[in-house]
Amino acid sequence: MPDISALLSPKSVAVIGASPNAHIIRGRIMHVLGCHKFPGNIYPVSRSNDEINGLKAYRSVADIPEQVDLAILVIPAENVADALTDCGEAGVRAAMIISSGFAEESGEAGDALQDEIRAVAEKYDLAVGGPNSEGFANMLAPLCATFSATVDNPDLPLVPPHRSDGYIGVTAQSGGIGFSFYDRGRPKELPFSYVMTTGNEACLSGLDFVDYMLDDGKTEVILMFMEDIKNPERFAPIAEKALRAGKPIILTKIGRSEAGQRAAASHTAAMTGAYSAYKAMFDRYGVIEGYDIEDIVDVAAGFSRYRNKLPRGKRVGIATGSGGGGGWMADSCEAAGLEVPPLDAATRAVIDEFLPPYGTSQNPVDGTAQAIRQVGYGRMAGMVAQSPEVDSVIVVTSARNAAGYEREEENLKQVAAESDKPILFCSYTLTRGSAMELLNRAGYPLYTNMRNCARTMAAMADYQAFRDRFLKTPEITTTAGGTKEKAAKLLADADAVLCEYQATPVLAAYGIAVPDSRLAATPDDAAAALDEIGGPIALKVQSPDVLHKTDAGAVALGLNDAPAIRAAFSSLTENATAYHKKTNSGSPDIHGVLVQPMAKRGQEIILGINHDDAFGPMLMVGLGGIHVEVLRDVAFSPVPLTTDGAAQVLDRLKGRKILDGVRGAPAADIDALLDLIVKLSQLAADHADTIAEIDLNPVLVHPAGEGVSIVDALIVKRDAG
Amino acid sequence: MPDISALLSPKSVAVIGASPNAHIIRGRIMHVLGCHKFPGNIYPVSRSNDEINGLKAYRSVADIPEQVDLAILVIPAENVADALTDCGEAGVRAAMIISSGFAEESGEAGDALQDEIRAVAEKYDLAVGGPNSEGFANMLAPLCATFSATVDNPDLPLVPPHRSDGYIGVTAQSGGIGFSFYDRGRPKELPFSYVMTTGNEACLSGLDFVDYMLDDGKTEVILMFMEDIKNPERFAPIAEKALRAGKPIILTKIGRSEAGQRAAASHTAAMTGAYSAYKAMFDRYGVIEGYDIEDIVDVAAGFSRYRNKLPRGKRVGIATGSGGGGGWMADSCEAAGLEVPPLDAATRAVIDEFLPPYGTSQNPVDGTAQAIRQVGYGRMAGMVAQSPEVDSVIVVTSARNAAGYEREEENLKQVAAESDKPILFCSYTLTRGSAMELLNRAGYPLYTNMRNCARTMAAMADYQAFRDRFLKTPEITTTAGGTKEKAAKLLADADAVLCEYQATPVLAAYGIAVPDSRLAATPDDAAAALDEIGGPIALKVQSPDVLHKTDAGAVALGLNDAPAIRAAFSSLTENATAYHKKTNSGSPDIHGVLVQPMAKRGQEIILGINHDDAFGPMLMVGLGGIHVEVLRDVAFSPVPLTTDGAAQVLDRLKGRKILDGVRGAPAADIDALLDLIVKLSQLAADHADTIAEIDLNPVLVHPAGEGVSIVDALIVKRDAG
């Protein structure tokens, strides 16, 4: 593994292709580099200049007198691999390739150029970012190896001087978006550590940089803009590391829509996977998805400040001098899933001391402009925070100018330092002048968007609760000895498609209860099975060629006597054959007819596994019937799952409450369902290389204590083609 | 009706309570008034100053030598009524009461003061705004009769000089919020006509001002911040007037949450009604609800510019130089309910001429930075707009500075003028300097929030489609002669609660099909009814004291023979009596047992009417069972409804598709359901003064052509107490 620190925190830098012309990218980079006091040496490499912006230029990286850590490449794509080789030979340890014209272009030439880069990088163990990148900025070095105009102001410190913790690290495949997080966040007084724009990710990926930042000892919040994922196998371990460390990842994954996928595919040569699988991975590891740049930056502002003081619940106290603003914030909080409960009498009594008759301490606490002038927002927030009824406080204010806050600055600082609950400020007016700086210096994030403020508090409370639960969850137990091998043999011996009679033994190997069924080869066999099983029974044609059995008329239900069974056997197989022939030449391969006891009634569930190209087996669970078909009420998760994990997945269903029993129905056997999900997830995890798909549809969940019935089962192997 | 123009557009102004001290509200108002060149005279009225800010001050409004149109009152609450009387006597025509200390305070004293104001205003036909208000601004006068700091910059024109249409009028009960719309919108180069903050609305309400603005010949977009509604009967006509004129109302109504209702009630003495009723009114008249201040201002920006060029559909073309930004916008568009379809081949061929190999014309059109430099955003947007596949265009750009747009300014203007489709710009970076002004001057709204930009385009397309449908909808036909009178008599003769046997004749009067039922007084009566009706039948106890018949065990289903019916009659009445006695002394008033044919199976619907205190009868419709109980899938509407209106209400159900037949079920008889809804809505409208509640629960909707069955019916009169 190459050393990413040589890339992000080099001691010296060469710019290959440097130019003094600030109107072109090669010159913009030199200009931006010069805007900040990078303590190391910067060596322009140029064929046509002896000096650039006062720095001696070299013909080649080999001519540079010092061993350089990082080379920034801004030369035509076709020259990059050679230049990179020169770097490797000269002992350079890292390269940032700005040049475009690689895999993002149509055709194979770009791919080939990118392969060359990768080969050179591997040969010399170079840490390489890009190509097709806007570069990066290390705000703490400071080093701005980019042409982005967002960091070309020499008068603005890259990090607000009053911040020395809660650093935010950014990785983005899009340069414009990556630096826009900084562009939006810096005016909000947020401290960034790095902005890394990774472009095509020929070598190092966004995840690689996230992994590095998690260990750098500074970065505590990660922002990602993701178009695809180059090394999906690293996602789970890195996301888990972040979660365990309490360093939230806030990201957007492009490609939720078809048009978004088209854009991503063309833009950075990205192959975007199924969004539902990404979503499942995010849900599993508490990764927070952002809606837009402002939203992501605003959520980051909360975590940056309160990473170690997250709300322990969803109850918010609102303090304001504006009744209208307080009411709107209350609505915004409840829309975000928070609660705004009345305060307790003791707290109200303390607050009431300061309120005029037309104020109220109920919650929202409308201090009125008069009381706010008297006690200040800081002390008012402090009083509200004392209430045992709330886990956090939002102050709704007008931060148009700093005058009011200046008067109470010491109180604001004291409350921020002493309160053990997070306090966010939100202004309904835009800020002017130094209000933003002053409130942040005093210790508070200041929002100018009510929805984002409420949503941030909700995200922080959710993250805290999720992380607590995650850290408590015991490790997943491994599969019992022999089970995996037994199932593997069944799978290996089977054809590509396992009909129910073949699939259920695989399930049974994992301790999953399956119906007591018989495969009948003839009508008489089927009739005989009735005696063994007892009626009423169901008949189902078993054929890898007839998977939609109901549509094909290849299922009969509720049969109770031998003549009916014999007749049904024949008609079902005839139906199946006719159905198959409608779209195929030749007869279907019918293995027999499965004879099965009718399942008791129960709540219908669909349960399945699908192999995602990026993340492997994904479990899907949904309430059956209209819930899946009309309301699309399904949830996904990577596997395996613990019981608690399975419960969390179930909780994501909008209709979850139905399982608790509604309209006089008894509560369903949730424990049995969770047990089934856990075992199925273990099976899918153990055989991820073999199994493409498992469908248990439907599963009937009986009343509590009465278990579940798998009414149909299908397994498709990955070699099914 | 007093003359609101004397308030909003006075020729001369008196400030009663004026002060030279700009640190107090009485002086702030004088200061702010002086920041803009109001062409009329301003007369300070003060007991302690002879001159204020260079203006001669008067002891009383009676001393002013000119007849004054508007008096601004900033004096203690207890003096306001007298001062207002002085104004009336002096011929003043309007008053803006800034003073607080009225109904927003606890206790009755404030209410009484407010009643006094109202009496004086009526006596002298004064147009009175407030009290407890932050005043108002007429941006075109210009006149800023407020202490708001958002309009105290004499160097910034209140209206951007390049705008002379698309004016935005604001009314808000909260002063801070009202002026914050301007504070946010002015930097986005939006033209405002008025900001009116109405406070307690003792006399004129927000709706009164909206009504005025709709007729002022200037205002074309209305923003409202509403805590409650003082004259709800005016909402429907005013909202309809706005919709017919194509002047959208964009608003937030506080009190969606319980805490929000608490805040509103305390803040401006507002009694907030049920949010579902407000929502129903908004849906009925195409009123657009905003999520936060930024969102509302951003939506207004779109309408202000494109009121006469709204998108004719939901298909968006995206043009960008940033692949990442384009992809994110595509996702944002689809999340907002828009479509981003591939462009047609002819349009693509035109665009491809300008694209490098790594660009794409599919949609999003990633022009690449290179092509954008060459052709500019304007021409690129113009080319995309030519596609017959799109109804609108969004340009995703970095508007960090104006340099790029300056070079293509003429092209931008030309495309804006010539395109017949709306084009929005959205920047992923924040704007600096003049980019916002330049793009707006060229004719484009510029967004800095992707989500809001997409949501604005969706809101404009929805509004256009809704308005087209609304204008096409024929007028509601009136009830057939005699029907209303017949139902009125039935209702008048009935007690407060009409059980099913009493309610169905009222329904039948409106042509609603009801089951052929018999009220049986004895077991023998019930058994005899079987012969008349034919089995199987249902028995239901009819008692105004036992409304939860199923819970009480007062219903028997599917009875087919006389002995069973006799037995059931006795046990049901016993059950009903026992159930009633559990919580009441004395026996229930049992009118008999209803004998009714069993309904055929069908899709379960609940349908009802509830009288809302603000807006009168509200129709509710929902899919029955879990849809109501777990998923809360219900929709509300004011009455009466046309068939098309009823269809729109049904369309708001998330599970609406279930009625079309899913999982092999036949499509339900939608026509019969719509007919029932229309008739029920007419009944509710005709008897709004009498009926508090109608419950048809459940209604079974049979397969197409087979009608609906009302399985239970209840009417509660408004005098039920």
Side-chain angles (χ1 to χ4, degrees):
Chain A
M1 187 72 180
D3 182 4
I4 288 179
S5 71
L7 173 47
L8 287 180
S9 300
K11 292 197 180 60
S12 53
V13 177
V15 182
I16 301 175
S19 160
N21 179 0
H23 296 292
I24 60 175
I25 284 179
R26 299 190 290 124
R28 287 276 314 151
I29 288 185
M30 289 306 297
H31 169 71
V32 175
L33 272 172
C35 286
H36 306 280
K37 291 196 171 60
F38 175 59
N41 289 320
I42 296 175
Y43 301 101
V45 174
S46 166
R47 293 191 183 169
S48 41
N49 295 280
D50 295 327
E51 190 211 282
I52 294 175
N53 301 1
L55 298 170
K56 175 173 164 50
Y58 297 83
R59 282 287 169 277
S60 147
V61 73
D63 300 338
I64 298 174
E66 179 185 350
Q67 189 226 299
V68 165
D69 278 347
L70 168 67
I72 302 166
L73 279 73
V74 264
I75 53 177
E78 59 270 23
N79 303 336
V80 166
D82 286 349
L84 209 56
T85 302
D86 292 347
C87 288
E89 291 295 331
V92 174
R93 299 164 61 213
M96 181 77 243
I97 307 176
I98 308 293
S99 320
S100 57
F102 292 85
E104 78 279 10
E105 298 206 11
S106 315
E108 290 170 12
D111 288 333
L113 288 175
Q114 218 161 288
D115 289 342
E116 282 182 48
I117 289 174
R118 204 175 293 114
V120 177
E122 277 168 22
K123 179 172 175 188
Y124 295 101
D125 199 28
L126 290 169
V128 175
N132 186 29
S133 156
E134 204 162 316
F136 75 91
N138 175 338
M139 308 298 178
L140 300 171
L143 172 65
C144 293
T146 175
F147 56 91
S148 172
T150 61
V151 286
D152 70 356
N153 179 356
D155 301 324
L156 183 75
L158 290 164
V159 177
H162 56 86
R163 291 301 300 267
S164 58
D165 67 350
Y167 290 108
I168 300 165
V170 176
T171 82
Q173 278 172 273
S174 158
I177 301 290
F179 280 99
S180 78
F181 288 118
Y182 172 80
D183 190 43
R184 305 248 176 178
R186 180 62 186 83
K188 297 183 178 191
E189 301 287 318
L190 299 190
F192 286 81
S193 52
Y194 311 98
V195 174
M196 177 73 212
T197 74
T198 56
N200 289 4
E201 304 188 344
C203 304
L204 291 169
S205 74
L207 276 183
D208 293 326
F209 290 107
V210 170
D211 193 24
Y212 176 83
M213 292 179 198
L214 287 173
D215 293 331
D216 76 352
K218 296 169 199 148
T219 306
E220 300 189 335
V221 179
I222 304 281
L223 308 189
M224 285 190 87
F225 176 79
M226 190 191 266
E227 304 192 11
D228 70 346
I229 193 163
K230 296 296 192 304
N231 41 0
E233 73 287 353
R234 298 204 65 202
F235 185 87
I238 290 172
E240 180 167 343
K241 180 160 96 177
L243 183 58
R244 289 193 181 280
K247 299 181 178 181
I249 299 174
I250 308 162
L251 59 69
T252 272
K253 162 72 180 70
I254 289 302
R256 292 190 299 272
S257 69
E258 202 191 312
Q261 286 179 23
R262 280 200 302 272
S266 111
H267 176 221
T268 49
M271 289 306 297
T272 61
Y275 174 66
S276 57
Y278 282 95
K279 176 83 168 56
M281 296 302 290
F282 302 157
D283 286 345
R284 171 66 167 267
Y285 295 105
V287 170
I288 299 161
E289 280 189 280
Y291 303 114
D292 58 35
I293 301 170
E294 202 77 29
D295 173 68
I296 288 177
V297 168
D298 277 351
V299 173
F303 280 102
S304 166
R305 181 65 71 175
Y306 290 121
R307 188 175 78 88
N308 300 314
K309 195 162 51 174
L310 293 176
R312 294 275 158 191
K314 297 210 166 201
R315 305 167 306 163
V316 183
I318 297 173
T320 185
S322 159
W328 203 342
M329 180 57 83
D331 281 353
S332 302
C333 282
E334 300 212 1
L338 298 164
E339 297 156 31
V340 185
L343 300 187
D344 58 293
T347 305
R348 291 189 63 166
V350 172
I351 296 172
D352 283 339
E353 295 273 321
F354 301 96
L355 297 192
Y358 52 101
T360 168
S361 60
Q362 50 187 359
N363 193 19
V365 175
D366 182 358
T368 75
Q370 178 187 322
I372 293 295
R373 250 193 315 277
Q374 189 194 339
V375 294
Y377 284 108
R379 285 175 64 199
M380 189 63 78
M383 287 189 278
V384 175
Q386 292 291 324
S387 171
E389 297 300 318
V390 303
D391 305 300
S392 61
V393 176
I394 294 177
V395 177
V396 179
T397 176
S398 169
R400 209 166 176 285
N401 65 61
Y405 310 115
E406 280 165 6
R407 285 193 294 274
E408 58 163 313
E409 187 167 358
E410 288 314 308
N411 283 342
L412 285 165
K413 284 182 177 168
Q414 189 183 345
V415 169
E418 291 177 1
S419 172
D420 60 351
K421 295 172 186 172
I423 300 171
L424 304 180
F425 274 62
C426 186
S427 174
Y428 46 85
T429 45
L430 290 176
T431 60
R432 303 281 195 288
S434 59
M436 180 66 81
E437 198 270 339
L438 189 151
L439 278 168
N440 270 277
R441 183 152 39 78
Y444 304 94
L446 172 60
Y447 292 80
T448 56
N449 180 303
M450 289 200 194
R451 188 163 45 154
N452 288 5
C453 180
R455 121 83 155 176
T456 297
M457 196 68 90
M460 292 198 298
D462 286 343
Y463 184 84
Q464 174 73 38
F466 182 86
R467 184 163 174 263
D468 285 348
R469 193 165 171 176
F470 186 90
L471 295 180
K472 264 186 222 146
T473 302
E475 291 303 307
I476 291 186
T477 53
T478 51
T479 312
T483 294
K484 184 173 174 179
E485 294 68 24
K486 186 174 171 190
K489 183 161 187 337
L490 288 166
L491 286 163
D493 291 348
D495 293 332
V497 175
L498 286 74
C499 303
E500 184 173 359
Y501 84 97
Q502 299 161 304
T504 46
V506 180
L507 300 174
Y510 276 79
I512 295 171
V514 296
D516 176 27
S517 311
R518 304 284 184 280
L519 184 69
T522 65
D524 287 342
D525 282 358
L530 174 65
D531 296 334
E532 296 176 37
I533 298 173
I537 55 105
L539 295 188
K540 307 180 208 172
V541 171
Q542 299 290 291
S543 165
D545 298 329
V546 184
L547 299 181
H548 298 100
K549 294 190 288 292
T550 305
D551 294 348
V555 176
L557 300 177
L559 304 179
N560 247 325
D561 59 89
I565 289 171
R566 284 197 192 87
F569 188 105
S570 305
S571 63
L572 296 190
T573 50
E574 280 161 27
N575 290 347
T577 303
Y579 183 81
H580 180 73
K581 283 188 171 172
K582 275 198 283 190
T583 48
N584 296 276
S585 60
S587 293
D589 175 18
I590 294 179
H591 296 191
V593 173
L594 197 64
V595 186
Q596 195 170 77
M598 290 295 293
K600 292 178 295 186
R601 295 188 65 168
Q603 172 63 48
E604 200 174 304
I605 291 280
I606 67 169
L607 195 56
I609 299 291
N610 270 285
H611 189 90
D612 181 77
D613 286 343
F615 298 109
M618 282 289 147
L619 181 135
M620 187 199 75
V621 61
L623 288 158
I626 54 147
H627 297 281
V628 168
E629 290 184 30
V630 177
L631 306 172
R632 305 273 168 229
D633 190 11
V634 293
F636 296 87
S637 173
V639 295
L641 282 164
T642 59
T643 305
D644 188 58
Q648 291 188 51
V649 179
L650 266 196
D651 284 346
R652 275 184 229 133
L653 297 177
K654 296 184 204 75
R656 166 68 181 80
K657 210 182 135 196
I658 291 166
L659 294 170
D660 296 332
V662 286
R663 311 197 84 211
D669 196 335
I670 305 281
D671 289 345
L673 176 60
L674 294 178
D675 183 61
L676 169 60
I677 293 173
V678 168
K679 286 170 176 167
L680 182 71
S681 77
Q682 189 67 49
L683 160 61
D686 284 350
H687 305 280
D689 294 341
T690 315
I691 295 176
E693 186 183 338
I694 305 179
D695 294 314
L696 309 185
N697 183 10
V699 171
L700 298 178
V701 187
H702 306 302
E706 300 182 23
V708 299
S709 298
I710 296 170
V711 175
D712 201 357
L714 173 74
I715 297 176
V716 180
K717 287 163 66 174
R718 292 187 61 188
D719 50 13
Chain B
M1 186 71 180
D3 181 5
I4 289 179
S5 72
L7 173 47
L8 287 180
S9 300
K11 292 198 179 61
S12 52
V13 177
V15 182
I16 302 176
S19 160
N21 178 0
H23 295 292
I24 61 175
I25 284 180
R26 300 188 292 121
R28 287 277 313 152
I29 288 186
M30 289 305 298
H31 170 72
V32 175
L33 272 172
C35 286
H36 305 282
K37 292 196 170 59
F38 175 59
N41 289 320
I42 296 175
Y43 301 101
V45 175
S46 166
R47 294 192 183 168
S48 43
N49 294 277
D50 295 327
E51 188 212 283
I52 295 176
N53 300 0
L55 299 170
K56 175 172 163 49
Y58 297 83
R59 282 288 171 274
S60 147
V61 72
D63 300 338
I64 298 174
E66 180 185 349
Q67 189 226 298
V68 164
D69 279 346
L70 168 67
I72 303 167
L73 280 73
V74 265
I75 52 177
E78 58 270 24
N79 303 336
V80 165
D82 287 346
L84 209 55
T85 303
D86 293 346
C87 288
E89 292 294 334
V92 172
R93 299 165 60 213
M96 181 78 242
I97 307 176
I98 309 293
S99 320
S100 57
F102 292 86
E104 78 278 10
E105 298 206 12
S106 315
E108 288 170 15
D111 288 333
L113 288 175
Q114 217 160 289
D115 289 342
E116 283 182 47
I117 290 175
R118 204 175 292 116
V120 177
E122 277 168 22
K123 177 171 177 189
Y124 295 100
D125 199 28
L126 290 169
V128 175
N132 187 27
S133 157
E134 202 161 318
F136 74 92
N138 175 338
M139 308 297 177
L140 300 171
L143 171 65
C144 294
T146 174
F147 56 91
S148 172
T150 62
V151 286
D152 71 356
N153 180 356
D155 300 326
L156 183 74
L158 290 164
V159 177
H162 57 85
R163 291 301 300 267
S164 58
D165 68 350
Y167 290 108
I168 300 165
V170 175
T171 81
Q173 278 172 272
S174 158
I177 302 290
F179 280 99
S180 78
F181 288 119
Y182 172 81
D183 191 43
R184 305 250 177 176
R186 180 62 187 85
K188 297 183 177 191
E189 301 287 318
L190 299 190
F192 286 80
S193 52
Y194 311 98
V195 173
M196 177 73 212
T197 72
T198 56
N200 289 5
E201 304 189 345
C203 304
L204 291 168
S205 74
L207 275 183
D208 294 326
F209 290 107
V210 170
D211 193 24
Y212 176 83
M213 292 179 198
L214 287 172
D215 292 331
D216 75 351
K218 297 169 198 146
T219 306
E220 301 189 334
V221 179
I222 304 280
L223 308 189
M224 285 190 85
F225 176 79
M226 190 191 266
E227 303 192 13
D228 70 345
I229 193 162
K230 295 296 193 305
N231 40 0
E233 73 286 354
R234 297 203 66 202
F235 185 87
I238 290 172
E240 180 166 343
K241 179 160 98 176
L243 182 59
R244 291 195 181 277
K247 299 181 179 181
I249 299 174
I250 309 161
L251 59 68
T252 272
K253 162 71 181 70
I254 290 302
R256 292 189 301 274
S257 68
E258 201 192 313
Q261 286 179 22
R262 278 201 303 271
S266 110
H267 175 222
T268 50
M271 288 306 297
T272 62
Y275 175 67
S276 59
Y278 282 95
K279 176 83 167 56
M281 297 303 288
F282 302 157
D283 286 346
R284 171 67 165 266
Y285 295 105
V287 170
I288 299 162
E289 280 188 280
Y291 303 114
D292 57 35
I293 300 171
E294 202 76 29
D295 173 68
I296 288 177
V297 168
D298 277 351
V299 172
F303 280 102
S304 166
R305 181 65 72 174
Y306 290 121
R307 187 174 78 89
N308 299 313
K309 197 164 48 175
L310 294 176
R312 293 276 158 191
K314 297 209 166 201
R315 304 166 309 162
V316 182
I318 297 173
T320 184
S322 159
W328 203 343
M329 180 57 82
D331 282 352
S332 301
C333 282
E334 300 212 1
L338 298 164
E339 298 157 30
V340 185
L343 300 187
D344 58 292
T347 305
R348 291 190 62 167
V350 171
I351 295 172
D352 283 340
E353 294 273 320
F354 301 95
L355 297 192
Y358 53 100
T360 168
S361 59
Q362 51 187 0
N363 193 21
V365 175
D366 182 358
T368 75
Q370 179 187 324
I372 294 294
R373 252 193 314 279
Q374 190 194 336
V375 296
Y377 284 110
R379 287 176 62 200
M380 188 64 78
M383 288 189 277
V384 175
Q386 292 291 322
S387 171
E389 297 299 319
V390 303
D391 305 300
S392 61
V393 176
I394 293 177
V395 176
V396 179
T397 178
S398 170
R400 209 164 176 286
N401 64 62
Y405 309 115
E406 281 165 6
R407 285 194 293 274
E408 58 162 314
E409 187 167 358
E410 288 313 309
N411 283 342
L412 285 166
K413 284 181 176 167
Q414 189 182 347
V415 169
E418 291 177 1
S419 173
D420 60 352
K421 296 172 185 172
I423 301 172
L424 304 179
F425 273 62
C426 186
S427 174
Y428 46 85
T429 45
L430 290 176
T431 59
R432 304 282 195 286
S434 59
M436 180 65 82
E437 198 271 340
L438 190 150
L439 278 168
N440 271 277
R441 184 152 39 78
Y444 305 93
L446 172 59
Y447 292 80
T448 55
N449 181 303
M450 290 200 193
R451 189 164 42 154
N452 287 6
C453 179
R455 121 83 156 176
T456 297
M457 196 69 90
M460 294 197 297
D462 286 343
Y463 183 83
Q464 174 73 38
F466 181 86
R467 184 163 174 263
D468 284 348
R469 193 167 171 176
F470 186 89
L471 296 180
K472 263 187 222 144
T473 302
E475 291 302 308
I476 291 184
T477 54
T478 51
T479 311
T483 295
K484 185 172 171 179
E485 294 69 22
K486 186 173 171 190
K489 181 160 189 338
L490 289 165
L491 286 163
D493 292 347
D495 292 333
V497 174
L498 286 76
C499 304
E500 184 174 358
Y501 84 98
Q502 298 160 303
T504 47
V506 180
L507 300 174
Y510 276 78
I512 295 171
V514 296
D516 177 26
S517 310
R518 303 286 183 280
L519 185 69
T522 66
D524 287 342
D525 281 358
L530 173 65
D531 296 333
E532 296 175 38
I533 299 172
I537 54 106
L539 294 188
K540 308 180 208 172
V541 171
Q542 300 289 291
S543 164
D545 297 330
V546 184
L547 298 181
H548 298 100
K549 295 190 287 292
T550 305
D551 293 349
V555 175
L557 300 177
L559 304 179
N560 247 324
D561 58 90
I565 289 172
R566 283 196 192 87
F569 186 105
S570 304
S571 64
L572 296 190
T573 50
E574 280 162 25
N575 290 346
T577 303
Y579 183 82
H580 179 73
K581 284 188 171 172
K582 273 199 285 190
T583 48
N584 296 276
S585 61
S587 292
D589 175 18
I590 294 179
H591 296 190
V593 173
L594 197 64
V595 186
Q596 193 170 77
M598 289 295 293
K600 292 178 295 186
R601 295 189 63 169
Q603 172 63 49
E604 199 174 305
I605 292 281
I606 67 169
L607 195 56
I609 299 289
N610 270 285
H611 189 90
D612 181 78
D613 286 342
F615 297 109
M618 283 287 147
L619 181 135
M620 186 201 75
V621 60
L623 288 158
I626 54 147
H627 298 280
V628 168
E629 290 186 29
V630 177
L631 306 172
R632 305 273 168 226
D633 190 10
V634 292
F636 296 86
S637 174
V639 297
L641 282 164
T642 60
T643 304
D644 188 57
Q648 290 188 50
V649 178
L650 266 196
D651 284 347
R652 277 185 229 130
L653 296 178
K654 295 184 205 76
R656 165 69 182 77
K657 212 182 134 196
I658 291 166
L659 294 171
D660 296 332
V662 287
R663 311 197 84 211
D669 196 336
I670 305 282
D671 290 344
L673 176 59
L674 294 179
D675 183 62
L676 169 60
I677 292 174
V678 168
K679 286 170 175 166
L680 181 71
S681 77
Q682 190 67 50
L683 161 61
D686 285 349
H687 305 279
D689 293 340
T690 315
I691 295 176
E693 186 182 338
I694 306 179
D695 293 314
L696 308 186
N697 182 12
V699 171
L700 298 179
V701 187
H702 306 302
E706 300 181 24
V708 299
S709 299
I710 296 170
V711 176
D712 201 356
L714 174 73
I715 297 177
V716 180
K717 286 163 67 174
R718 291 186 63 188
D719 50 13

